[in-house]
Amino acid sequence: MMDSHLPEEDTRDETDDKTALDFNRDIANDPKRTCMQRHKFLVLKITGPILVTIIGIFFGYLIRKHVHEKAFNCNSEDIVLEAGLNLEHYNPAVSRKLRASLDAGNIQENLRNLTKEAHTAGTENGHTLAYFIRDRMKTFGLDSVYDETYKVLLSYPVTTGNKSRVSLIANGTKIFHYEGSPYSAYSPSGTVKGDLVYANYGLWDDFSVLSNMSVNLRDKILIMRYGKVKNWDFQKISNAQRYGAAGAILYPDPADYNSGNKIVYPKTWWLPGTAVPRSLVRLWSWGDPATLSYAAKEGAHRNDALGDVTMPTIPVLPIGYGDAKKLMDALTSTDSPEDWHGGLDTSYKIENLKDGAKIELHVNNQRDIKEIKNIFGVIKGDLEPDKYIILGSHHDSFTKGGVDPGTGLSILLELAEKFGQLVKSGWHPRRTILFAIWDASEFGNLGSQEWIEEHKKELLSRLVAYINVAAAVTGNFSFTAQANQLMKRVIFEATKAVPCPDPSHPEMSVYAMWKHNYPDSNIPSYPGDISKQVVPKLNDIQSVAECTALHVFLGIPVMDVQYSYDTNKYKIENYPVHGTMLDDFNYVKKFIDPNFKVHKTLAEVLAEVIMRLATTQKLPIHPVDYISMLYQAYNYTLNTHRQWLVDRGISLEYLREAIHRFDLAAEYFQDTYDKLNASDHFFEIMQMNNKLLELPRAFVAPNVLDINSFDASERQHIPTELFSYSMYPVNKQGDKVMFQLLEMAIALPKSSKDHVDSAVSILVTAINWATKVLTDGALNGRR
């Protein structure tokens, strides 16, 4: 409503002026008429507001009576949602009804339909599946369903005629020959011939070992194991290029894929020697390579020179471990270190093929600009429609995509359908729910990255949280999650509400079983923290598909959830057939979740998470959850590098003070927020909610000490676990909590006081930004 003392905008056009002036002149010239008008105006002025108030109270009573009758006279376990009934707050009964409606049979049928054919992005099969998903979602009752198209550079193998191949040739005779359609995406085409060298995982440390052993790598073809840099195979190729290799062969070693098991698929879920994982070997794996800073829409300029920089320059081909053994058996000299020995029955020699044999590697790939399609389903919020919660998966796959992305996508579709049924009954969430299904994820998260680049400014102010569900069911042992710390409590509370699917433990919740399988002791690590509570282990977000860009570059709270195999028992990085043609519907049903009960359980957890994020008046986000992480990282740096810092005259007092200021601000904010009454402090809660959205954005450190600012020789000495493009100040690596930027600066071989002081200043800046968001720093100065 406009303030009464402000003039209303004059909306008349010029042709109305004379009429208006004449009318006013007539009134002014008639005293009797002027008096009557004044009396009428006075009566209306007095009685109008009273009538409006009475009418408002009357209708308010009727509406309140209707809502309360519906809310309190019905059975809480059997909520009936009718048109016009708006649930403004989280309602456990509605959430239980939603979870009870989820159907394992529907999820199973979804997966069957999604995995009938291989559906690589940009292909006819890929587009057919995208349209199938879009048309299916249009029947769910969502407020809207639409698709977004981008034109991006993709890579495909030539599958007929001159296929990619590798041969072992001695005295003009082919001793070994393999050809096939599995490929490493974005590998250039080419034919190279030379000696073979075994380079273990292809890590920088592995190349250092080879260098120390005086193994010449120039113009050699390297054979390397998959693994140790999950989803980042480009690092292996980048390292090989720097050492002058002519080509590369990647293979899955049984030690990394089968955990010592000899009985393989189809009798068990373990990887057979004939299966070949596909991979991505672009040197920068986010977004379209020729449009790195803006969306690849129709008409967007393509910087092909920039795209070329991100591409490998040597041919790369994946093979199965059965064929890898044949090549490794031909190596005759230079013993490898014991920890380079995998699960093959071979000696793991490093070089020199027997009988003077040579390897001929031929790769035939093609790169094309192709259309990709993201699919979206929207449920508009009724009170805060400009605040979004996104549940995302992807629909493309190099293969049939049974586990990845089929398990997650089949769950997402079931959730979208059942949320749609709530909408049909008259329900709407407080905030908008967006179901996002990305394309070209296998090529470096192209679909999601292009969409983020197109909508970046909007997402910065409106996106509350992103929930990723792709390879959602990789096993049936336990729930696990990776998440930003601000998502910790909502995940914990959601898993407490859902029963464990293990029939031998019906009394346990998902949370209780998670805590039992993967406990994480909460050791006091900051002043005032006296809790010694054991909670489930929540992993830090690493390079997890669509989560990465939102978390690392925009500071959006994210989570990635799944049911997994027993990682304590099986020392493997992923489910065994990931990226192979064996990853299909039958694999999931036979070996992972025969009755799809685990899928339903995970769907229930996600439903609960979405309900809590989308319907609560107070956001389930707690800034105090950052405090422990900051102190742990500070203590790690101090305890690990104390003498090194002292020797160089480096003080961390500046950093400690910044953490202490944030500690005080977060505790005060949380205490104030918790005390606000939902009905009496509507606007105060909205204001504090906005600060909670700004908080994780503020924590994104300025990109001044980015790893790319160091030259190649310095950069390669940074330990693998620190190699990241993350600008987030605190990172959890296993059981260690550290300041990644600071650890990177210290790890440099020529690290100086300037390097470390710069890193400290960057961290302090990010922490101070977060503190000022909570305390209105621009209005109050330094707090």
Side-chain angles (χ1 to χ4, degrees):
M1 180 179 293
M2 188 172 292
D3 291 343
S4 59
H5 64 278
L6 295 177
E8 293 188 359
E9 180 180 354
D10 188 353
T11 59
R12 298 172 299 169
D13 61 36
E14 294 180 358
T15 59
D16 293 331
D17 287 349
K18 186 178 186 302
T19 304
L21 288 171
D22 290 344
F23 177 75
N24 291 333
R25 188 180 300 114
D26 289 343
I27 294 176
N29 293 334
D30 187 346
K32 186 181 295 186
R33 187 174 177 183
T34 302
C35 182
M36 290 176 60
Q37 292 291 341
R38 286 174 180 169
H39 281 296
K40 288 180 180 180
F41 176 75
L42 185 61
V43 170
L44 286 173
K45 187 173 182 180
I46 295 173
T47 61
I50 297 174
L51 289 172
V52 169
T53 302
I54 293 171
I55 292 170
I57 292 173
F58 175 71
F59 280 103
Y61 169 76
L62 292 179
I63 294 170
R64 183 177 178 85
K65 182 174 183 291
H66 172 72
V67 170
H68 277 233
E69 284 176 351
K70 293 294 182 185
F72 295 106
N73 293 345
C74 67
N75 188 326
S76 65
E77 296 293 338
D78 189 25
I79 294 292
V80 178
L81 296 170
E82 295 186 359
L85 178 56
N86 176 28
L87 301 177
E88 297 183 359
H89 307 294
Y90 170 73
N91 188 320
V94 175
S95 188
R96 283 194 296 270
K97 184 175 180 65
L98 171 64
R99 288 190 277 112
S101 72
L102 298 169
D103 186 87
N106 288 346
I107 299 173
Q108 176 174 322
E109 197 58 30
N110 285 343
L111 184 62
R112 193 191 307 274
N113 290 328
L114 293 169
T115 57
K116 290 180 178 179
E117 303 287 345
H119 42 277
T120 305
T123 65
E124 183 178 349
N125 282 353
H127 290 153
T128 299
L129 184 63
Y131 292 135
F132 168 80
I133 293 168
R134 182 197 62 189
D135 294 343
R136 175 92 188 283
M137 291 180 71
K138 286 182 177 179
T139 69
F140 289 171
L142 307 177
D143 291 329
S144 63
V145 174
Y146 66 97
D147 59 78
E148 288 265 23
T149 300
Y150 301 94
K151 301 191 75 171
V152 298
L153 181 66
L154 301 181
S155 169
Y156 305 100
V158 173
T159 57
T160 58
N162 188 19
K163 295 181 181 179
S164 296
R165 57 188 179 271
V166 59
S167 303
L168 180 62
I169 303 172
N171 301 319
T173 302
K174 288 184 180 180
I175 302 172
F176 163 81
H177 179 77
Y178 159 82
E179 68 177 45
S181 56
Y183 76 121
S184 295
Y186 296 106
S187 166
S189 295
T191 302
V192 292
K193 188 174 182 179
D195 295 323
L196 185 69
V197 173
Y198 171 54
N200 199 25
Y201 292 105
L203 307 181
W204 192 256
D205 289 345
D206 296 331
F207 282 94
S208 296
V209 169
L210 292 171
S211 179
N212 292 335
M213 296 172 74
S214 299
V215 176
N216 180 17
L217 299 178
R218 183 158 297 279
D219 298 326
K220 300 298 193 296
I221 297 170
L222 308 186
I223 184 167
M224 297 177 284
R225 297 157 66 170
Y226 280 119
K228 296 301 182 185
V229 281
K230 186 177 180 182
N231 299 327
W232 283 30
D233 293 317
F234 71 84
Q235 285 188 24
K236 304 172 188 287
I237 308 309
S238 176
N239 293 339
Q241 289 178 179
R242 288 198 176 99
Y243 271 86
I249 299 170
L250 301 175
Y251 82 96
D253 196 282
D256 306 307
Y257 281 72
N258 289 352
S259 198
N261 292 273
K262 303 297 184 183
I263 302 175
V264 299
Y265 183 92
K267 293 183 178 179
T268 69
W269 83 324
W270 299 111
L271 185 74
T274 55
V276 184
R278 282 73 172 160
S279 63
L280 172 69
V281 293
R282 266 182 57 203
L283 305 187
W284 177 263
S285 58
W286 288 321
D288 178 62
T291 59
L292 288 182
S293 60
Y294 48 85
K297 301 292 285 187
E298 182 73 44
H301 171 65
R302 301 193 61 80
N303 188 340
D304 293 328
L306 177 61
D308 290 342
V309 170
T310 73
M311 297 297 171
T313 58
I314 61 175
V316 184
L317 183 69
I319 63 175
Y321 66 76
D323 288 327
K325 179 184 182 304
K326 297 172 184 177
L327 296 179
M328 301 280 281
D329 284 343
L331 294 170
T332 61
S333 64
T334 310
D335 292 334
S336 62
E338 189 65 30
D339 60 358
W340 284 32
H341 291 207
L344 292 175
D345 184 17
T346 190
S347 62
Y348 285 89
K349 298 289 186 180
I350 289 177
E351 58 183 343
N352 294 330
L353 292 165
K354 63 184 177 181
D355 300 326
K358 299 292 182 181
I359 292 289
E360 184 176 273
L361 174 64
H362 173 76
V363 173
N364 193 6
N365 293 339
Q366 58 188 26
R367 298 172 186 167
D368 291 313
I369 305 295
K370 295 284 189 177
E371 282 193 351
I372 61 172
K373 293 186 179 296
N374 297 332
I375 311 298
F376 300 95
V378 180
I379 300 176
K380 291 282 286 185
D382 57 1
L383 291 179
E384 298 180 62
D386 61 337
K387 297 295 182 285
Y388 313 150
I389 288 84
I390 300 180
L391 176 66
S393 186
H394 65 96
H395 63 77
D396 70 298
S397 174
F398 286 140
T399 67
K400 293 183 179 181
V403 176
D404 183 12
T407 56
L409 183 51
S410 61
I411 289 171
L412 183 150
L413 290 176
E414 172 67 0
L415 285 165
E417 183 171 10
K418 294 306 163 63
F419 268 103
Q421 289 179 6
L422 284 181
V423 172
K424 288 177 181 178
S425 71
W427 175 89
H428 267 81
R430 182 187 189 91
R431 303 178 184 93
T432 294
I433 300 171
L434 180 64
F435 299 98
I437 305 173
W438 313 110
D439 201 354
S441 178
E442 300 279 25
F443 289 91
N445 311 322
L446 269 61
S448 59
Q449 182 68 20
E450 298 311 308
W451 187 78
I452 291 168
E453 288 172 354
E454 184 175 10
H455 300 278
K456 177 179 178 179
K457 298 301 182 182
E458 176 187 358
L459 298 176
L460 276 169
S461 61
R462 300 183 182 185
L463 183 52
V464 175
Y466 178 86
I467 307 158
N468 195 62
V469 55
V473 182
T474 62
N476 51 35
F477 176 69
S478 180
F479 175 87
T480 62
Q482 300 182 48
N484 175 282
Q485 281 297 303
L486 290 182
M487 295 288 95
K488 177 172 69 176
R489 299 200 193 193
V490 70
I491 297 174
F492 285 177
E493 293 306 310
T495 51
K496 288 176 183 178
V498 179
C500 168
D502 188 342
S504 60
H505 294 283
E507 79 288 354
M508 297 181 74
S509 65
V510 170
Y511 176 89
M513 183 59 76
W514 179 21
K515 182 173 70 172
H516 175 267
N517 291 330
Y518 298 112
D520 188 10
S521 298
N522 184 14
I523 301 171
S525 52
Y526 67 90
D529 182 6
I530 59 173
S531 64
K532 294 186 178 180
Q533 177 186 6
V534 176
V535 297
K537 187 173 184 177
L538 182 67
N539 297 314
D540 194 33
I541 283 289
Q542 298 298 318
S543 178
V544 183
E546 284 71 30
C547 290
T548 308
L550 289 169
H551 172 64
V552 170
F553 297 120
L554 301 189
I556 306 296
V558 299
M559 68 176 79
D560 181 85
V561 301
Q562 68 174 200
Y563 247 84
S564 179
Y565 50 85
D566 186 349
T567 57
N568 294 320
K569 181 179 180 181
Y570 300 124
K571 302 302 181 183
I572 54 178
E573 293 183 358
N574 214 327
Y575 64 99
V577 303
H578 179 252
T580 75
M581 288 303 294
L582 301 180
D583 188 5
D584 59 11
F585 173 82
N586 291 327
Y587 185 85
V588 174
K589 185 167 178 61
K590 183 175 181 180
F591 298 115
I592 298 179
D593 192 17
N595 57 15
F596 282 73
K597 188 173 182 180
V598 171
H599 284 74
K600 180 179 183 296
T601 298
L602 190 58
E604 289 189 52
V605 171
L606 288 166
E608 190 68 23
V609 167
I610 294 169
M611 276 293 196
R612 290 171 183 268
L613 288 169
T615 65
T616 53
Q617 183 179 17
K618 289 184 178 181
L619 286 171
I621 292 175
H622 299 76
V624 293
D625 290 337
Y626 271 133
I627 298 173
S628 177
M629 290 280 286
L630 291 171
Y631 278 114
Q632 287 180 64
Y634 174 82
N635 290 337
Y636 176 85
T637 303
L638 200 61
N639 295 332
T640 305
H641 307 291
R642 186 186 301 272
Q643 193 58 50
W644 190 94
L645 295 168
V646 170
D647 291 345
R648 288 159 180 78
I650 298 171
S651 172
L652 298 182
E653 183 64 17
Y654 187 37
L655 179 59
R656 189 197 65 78
E657 290 176 357
I659 296 171
H660 180 63
R661 285 194 297 273
F662 177 80
D663 181 349
L664 296 177
E667 293 281 7
Y668 180 80
F669 181 96
Q670 194 71 59
D671 183 62
T672 303
Y673 190 60
D674 290 344
K675 290 177 180 177
L676 292 180
N677 181 283
S679 58
D680 296 334
H681 299 92
F682 178 84
F683 290 108
E684 290 93 333
I685 290 173
M686 291 285 284
Q687 290 169 355
M688 297 188 83
N689 280 350
N690 288 335
K691 291 183 180 181
L692 289 175
L693 292 186
E694 294 168 12
L695 176 64
R697 279 76 160 170
F699 257 124
V700 177
N703 192 14
V704 178
L705 196 74
D706 182 75
I707 192 169
N708 290 313
S709 65
F710 306 126
D711 64 45
S713 62
E714 290 182 316
R715 188 162 64 239
Q716 299 312 319
H717 287 83
I718 296 174
T720 300
E721 65 271 15
L722 298 181
F723 187 90
S724 171
Y725 297 95
S726 175
M727 291 178 280
Y728 235 64
V730 185
N731 302 84
K732 190 173 183 181
Q733 304 288 351
D735 294 326
K736 300 174 183 177
V737 178
M738 62 182 70
F739 293 120
Q740 181 165 287
L741 288 171
L742 189 50
E743 293 299 316
M744 284 166 56
I746 293 172
L748 290 170
K750 298 179 182 178
S751 181
S752 66
K753 186 175 186 297
D754 283 344
H755 278 125
V756 177
D757 284 346
S758 294
V760 169
S761 294
I762 293 168
L763 293 172
V764 169
T765 297
I767 296 167
N768 283 346
W769 280 346
T771 302
K772 291 178 185 299
V773 162
L774 296 179
T775 60
D776 294 322
L779 305 181
N780 302 308
R782 180 171 177 173
R783 283 286 181 103

